[in-house]
Amino acid sequence: MVQKIIRKLSYGWRLLATGFSFVSFGAGGLLLWLLVFPVLSVLPGSRLQRISRGQRVVHASFYFFIGLMHRIGIMTYEVNGLEKLNRPGQLIIANHPTLVDIVFLISRVRQANCIVKHSLWRNPFMRGPILNAGYISNGDPEKMIADCVAWLQSGGTMIIFPEGTRSVPGKPCRFQRGAAAIALQANKTVTPVTLSCYPGTLTKAEPWYQIPERRFHLAMQVGEDIALDEFTPIQPKSIAVRRFNRYLQDYFTQQRERYKDYGK
């Protein structure tokens, strides 16, 4: 009886804490837009320097947010292979099991660009970080690919989720070809990152208040760099992209199965 009451109290606290986290995230994005980024914008420097400052601010704020979720008892986490990240000209390709993925990854990569849905550019809570960090819109696919390639070739770091949206639990990975095309055109370092979340939460079409019975555990496994030598000579390039995309799908499907109960 006592244990049942404790479980209910714990569940109620985590539900309130989850709601608080969502409110804090939105409020934080709005405050950055209204108070922090206007100050950064008047500091001297080129456009790339302003973007660099913006990305570092987003990194720091996301690092704080993940720490907040951990401290108030919503989640636990672990990172294996962090030393393989934070390299110039690195394309980080990751699967996308939960809503927290991009926040968690950026909190561990000091300075990174990423692709965002075009609709988020009109979101008042996200617009500030998106614009000031120089993130790339998916509104025009050809321009998106060209911008990502240019960023990587200039020595910048990119984070891409090839699924384009959160994974469907229990189904194989289905990747869009944009990430494969960017990787082969840029011909830079490609590093896979496998994310696993147990118990599953904040998945596709799952409301925020549908929380698991206990804290969820988010694990990040950084894999070895993927060699592109097997794919870059293939002609035409459309076939190379298709084959590399299939390789990525198979890799992440296997990795996701390997780590599906990680933290159980």
Side-chain angles (χ1 to χ4, degrees), residues 123-175:
N123 185 317
F125 302 107
M126 295 297 296
R127 183 175 173 81
I130 287 171
L131 287 174
N132 287 273
Y135 294 156
I136 296 170
S137 170
N138 69 350
D140 182 339
E142 290 187 8
K143 186 177 185 301
M144 176 195 77
I145 290 174
D147 288 347
C148 290
V149 170
W151 180 262
L152 286 164
Q153 291 182 338
S154 71
T157 301
M158 285 289 311
I159 296 172
I160 296 183
F161 296 97
E163 291 165 285
T165 185
R166 279 167 284 172
S167 311
V168 178
K171 293 190 177 181
C173 295
R174 288 290 178 264
F175 286 180

Side-chain angles (χ1 to χ4, degrees), residues 192-213:
V193 171
T194 304
L195 297 164
S196 57
C197 180
Y198 189 89
T201 187
L202 299 174
T203 58
K204 190 173 177 64
E206 185 177 45
W208 69 266
Y209 51 81
Q210 192 173 328
I211 63 173
E213 291 298 320

Side-chain angles (χ1 to χ4, degrees), residues 90-260:
Q90 182 178 38
L91 174 57
I92 299 168
I93 296 180
N95 62 317
H96 197 0
T98 181
L99 188 62
V100 188
D101 297 338
I102 185 60
V103 178
F104 190 72
L105 255 175
I106 291 180
S107 76
R108 264 57 202 172
V109 181
R110 292 184 297 275
Q111 193 172 334
N113 209 328
C114 64
I115 298 170
V116 297
K117 293 180 179 178
H118 186 67
S119 59
L120 289 178
W121 291 65
R122 298 187 295 273
N123 185 317
F125 302 107
M126 295 297 296
R127 183 175 173 81
I130 287 171
L131 287 174
N132 287 273
Y135 294 156
I136 296 170
S137 170
N138 69 350
D140 182 339
E142 290 187 8
K143 186 177 185 301
M144 176 195 77
I145 290 174
D147 288 347
C148 290
V149 170
W151 180 262
L152 286 164
Q153 291 182 338
S154 71
T157 301
M158 285 289 311
I159 296 172
I160 296 183
F161 296 97
E163 291 165 285
T165 185
R166 279 167 284 172
S167 311
V168 178
K171 293 190 177 181
C173 295
R174 288 290 178 264
F175 286 180
Q176 300 176 21
R177 294 179 187 173
I182 292 165
L184 294 180
Q185 285 189 38
N187 198 21
K188 292 290 186 177
T189 303
V190 177
T191 307
V193 171
T194 304
L195 297 164
S196 57
C197 180
Y198 189 89
T201 187
L202 299 174
T203 58
K204 190 173 177 64
E206 185 177 45
W208 69 266
Y209 51 81
Q210 192 173 328
I211 63 173
E213 291 298 320
R214 65 175 178 86
R215 293 184 298 175
F216 68 91
H217 183 74
L218 186 60
M220 186 171 91
Q221 313 286 340
V222 184
E224 299 299 327
D225 295 343
I226 298 174
L228 300 179
D229 299 349
E230 176 185 344
F231 304 97
T232 50
I234 298 174
Q235 295 293 335
K237 291 300 181 184
S238 58
I239 294 179
V241 169
R242 188 158 55 245
R243 289 184 183 176
F244 186 51
N245 191 59
R246 190 182 307 123
Y247 173 90
L248 292 174
Q249 285 185 164
D250 292 344
Y251 174 89
F252 279 100
T253 297
Q254 293 169 7
Q255 292 296 102
R256 194 175 68 176
E257 183 65 23
R258 178 182 178 184
Y259 294 112
K260 67 178 181 178

